[in-house]
Amino acid sequence: MRLGTGIGWRPEIADAVADMPGIDWVEVVAENVCPGHLPEPLLRLRERGVTVIPHGVSLGLGGADRPDEARLRALAERAEALGAPLVTEHIAFVRAGGPLTASPPLEAGHLLPVPRTRDALDVLCENVAIAQESLPVPLALENIAALFSWPGEEMSEGEFLAELVERTGVRLLIDVANLHTNHVNRGEDPAEALDRLPLEALAYVHVAGGFERDGVWHDSHAHPVPPVVLDILTDLASRVAPPGVLLERDENFPELAEFERELAAIGEAVRKGGGAARTLRDQAVPVPPDASTEARQRVAVAQTAVLSALVARTPLPEGFDRGRMGVQARSLAAKRADVVAKVAPELPLILGAGYREAFLGYARTRPMRGGYRQDALEFAAQLLKTGRPVDARARRRLREWWLDRAGPAPRTPGPAARLARRVLPGRR
């Protein structure tokens, strides 16, 4: 399947994408669209014959638990609604705790690296097989960017992914920006990783930008693609002709002309590589053995300990780099603040300049146990419980906002809801 040149579709750049020349396909975050209410710009792209691929971020196939059936159904529904030829997800865990560890569930709100161990691979292979059985189209999995390494790993990334493909037949979405991130943060050579990867299983490629601070590379998706990432793309393209290459940008969206320059640079990097096509694997594969209960429990205990250290300030497990884990913990809290501000934009309006400091203070002692909307409600409830904000008018608005959303059904629009409609007339 040849996809060509693509771009990550976001509502903020819908108009730009509609007018952008040379775009063959787009990728949309699966959890951000509703099958029965697809955005009009996406529908218009589909009518023009532009392929749309849903890209999931919440399955957590690398987690210790079996995939959630409701999340799998939701991803399948989006694939069918969009007429997608495949769906994609990540090799990561996003939650931990729960029955396997007899501990409260925890949410990362972010993609975290899976330990490259035999136990973790067995669990991942079974989870992938379950997902493949539930989805109406092929599945491709993405290598993620990581800020930290697990001690005692038994395989390199290339070896881990090669065995995953061999055991499950899953396709790969290779993010060359993530290969660069892992080179800076974990000392992993991108060329060595590409040497090991089964590139005949390649579905497509991601390209994105980031920035380096204090020796740590942050995969921001909010900065231009650096030359070093384009060099890795050229190396990959010298080994295999990529079926598709997609530019990702999630924030700080540039003008159309800059998008076009980046897409041109990506195309030039691929042409410079000039790789010969390999045949995509399309063969029967053995059903992977079930992961043992003991393996799942070992993975669950390890992942819960790590996530708890990151979001609940419990002791850090032995062998982890304390500095890097501190960077990861701060990054998770900052992302929570940013996403909550997007899903509940009334909160920054009500709290003003004090929103971020208040939320980060809350996040230091309150790990996320559900989605971001629940996080927003629990943050507001905690503020109200402690008599904040100090300003009585703001506190009244916050209380009305919380009451309007915390019950099983919305209340009659109150002052906070009316305030939001006045300030944010586009919201419904």
Side-chain angles (χ1 to χ4, degrees):
M1 178 185 62
R2 304 298 299 179
L3 290 169
T5 300
I7 192 166
W9 188 92
R10 303 293 183 266
E12 297 90 336
I13 57 171
D15 292 339
V17 172
D19 297 331
M20 205 174 290
I23 295 297
D24 303 305
W25 62 291
V26 299
E27 181 189 78
V28 61
V29 176
E31 289 81 356
N32 289 352
V33 295
C34 178
H37 304 279
L38 295 175
E40 283 297 325
L42 269 185
L43 291 174
R44 289 195 294 271
L45 287 174
R46 288 284 299 121
E47 290 168 0
R48 284 168 39 195
V50 175
T51 298
V52 181
I53 293 178
H55 184 54
V57 297
S58 64
L59 268 183
L61 292 174
D65 291 316
R66 290 176 173 81
D68 180 76
E69 292 182 3
R71 294 179 190 276
L72 284 173
R73 281 196 305 273
L75 188 55
E77 288 169 357
R78 283 149 179 78
E80 292 173 338
L82 293 167
L86 76 160
V87 297
T88 58
E89 247 288 354
H90 299 82
I91 300 167
F93 77 101
V94 297
R95 61 189 64 86
L100 282 171
T101 57
S103 62
L106 296 170
E107 291 277 346
H110 189 66
L111 305 165
L112 295 178
V114 174
R116 297 173 195 151
T117 61
R118 286 288 160 193
D119 279 347
L121 182 59
D122 288 346
V123 169
L124 176 62
C125 285
E126 184 181 5
N127 287 350
V128 168
I130 293 169
Q132 288 172 316
E133 185 68 25
S134 302
L135 295 170
V137 292
L139 171 67
L141 295 181
E142 179 180 355
N143 60 306
I144 72 162
L147 286 173
F148 66 89
S149 298
W150 285 79
E153 292 191 314
E154 299 164 358
M155 288 168 272
S156 69
E157 180 165 46
E159 292 167 337
F160 191 84
L161 296 184
E163 188 163 339
L164 170 66
V165 169
E166 182 179 357
R167 290 173 60 177
T168 66
V170 74
R171 299 180 185 180
L172 295 180
L173 191 181
I174 297 302
D175 189 316
V176 292
N178 291 350
L179 292 179
H180 173 63
T181 301
N182 294 341
H183 173 60
V184 176
N185 294 348
R186 306 205 287 188
E188 298 170 354
D189 187 339
E192 290 183 7
L194 290 173
D195 285 341
R196 295 279 189 173
L197 290 176
L199 294 177
E200 65 274 15
L202 182 65
Y204 61 89
V205 177
H206 272 177
V207 183
F211 65 94
E212 187 170 353
R213 179 188 295 153
D214 298 329
V216 175
W217 186 268
H218 297 268
D219 178 46
S220 68
H221 291 192
H223 294 75
V225 178
V228 65
V229 170
L230 294 175
D231 289 342
I232 299 172
L233 175 60
T234 294
D235 187 3
L236 183 149
S238 72
R239 303 161 185 260
V240 60
V245 181
L246 180 129
L247 172 64
E248 287 190 293
R249 189 73 172 248
D250 294 335
E251 296 180 58
N252 299 333
F253 299 105
E255 297 297 323
L256 177 60
E258 185 175 337
F259 270 129
E260 292 176 347
R261 284 193 294 271
E262 287 209 295
L263 289 167
I266 288 169
E268 178 58 29
V270 172
R271 286 189 291 274
K272 185 178 176 182
R278 301 188 193 184
T279 301
L280 184 68
R281 288 188 177 182
D282 187 17
Q283 60 192 48
V285 295
V287 176
D290 293 343
S292 68
T293 300
E294 292 78 11
R296 285 192 179 274
Q297 287 176 333
R298 287 191 292 268
V299 171
V301 168
Q303 291 180 343
T304 301
V306 165
L307 185 51
S308 181
L310 291 172
V311 302
R313 294 193 163 191
T314 55
L316 185 65
E318 186 177 350
F320 285 89
D321 184 301
R322 187 169 297 277
R324 289 296 171 88
M325 295 297 277
V327 172
Q328 182 70 83
R330 291 189 293 275
S331 176
L332 292 179
K335 181 176 181 180
R336 279 176 70 185
D338 291 342
V339 178
V340 165
K342 290 179 179 179
V343 302
E346 302 88 351
L347 292 178
L349 287 173
I350 294 169
L351 300 175
Y355 163 76
R356 192 170 186 83
E357 181 180 354
F359 188 89
L360 292 177
Y362 155 82
R364 278 193 289 271
T365 59
R366 302 274 177 160
M368 186 162 62
R369 303 193 188 279
Y372 284 109
R373 287 177 176 81
Q374 180 180 335
D375 207 21
L377 288 170
E378 292 180 359
F379 166 56
Q382 178 65 17
L383 287 181
L384 293 169
K385 183 178 179 180
T386 55
R388 292 179 291 167
V390 174
D391 179 78
R393 185 166 178 263
R395 189 165 62 252
R396 184 171 63 252
R397 288 175 174 170
L398 182 63
R399 180 177 181 275
E400 288 293 331
W401 179 89
W402 183 83
L403 288 172
D404 190 48
R405 289 156 179 79
R411 300 168 67 226
T412 301
R418 290 195 294 271
L419 167 69
R421 278 196 288 272
R422 286 198 302 271
V423 179
L424 300 166
R427 285 184 61 82
R428 292 290 184 270

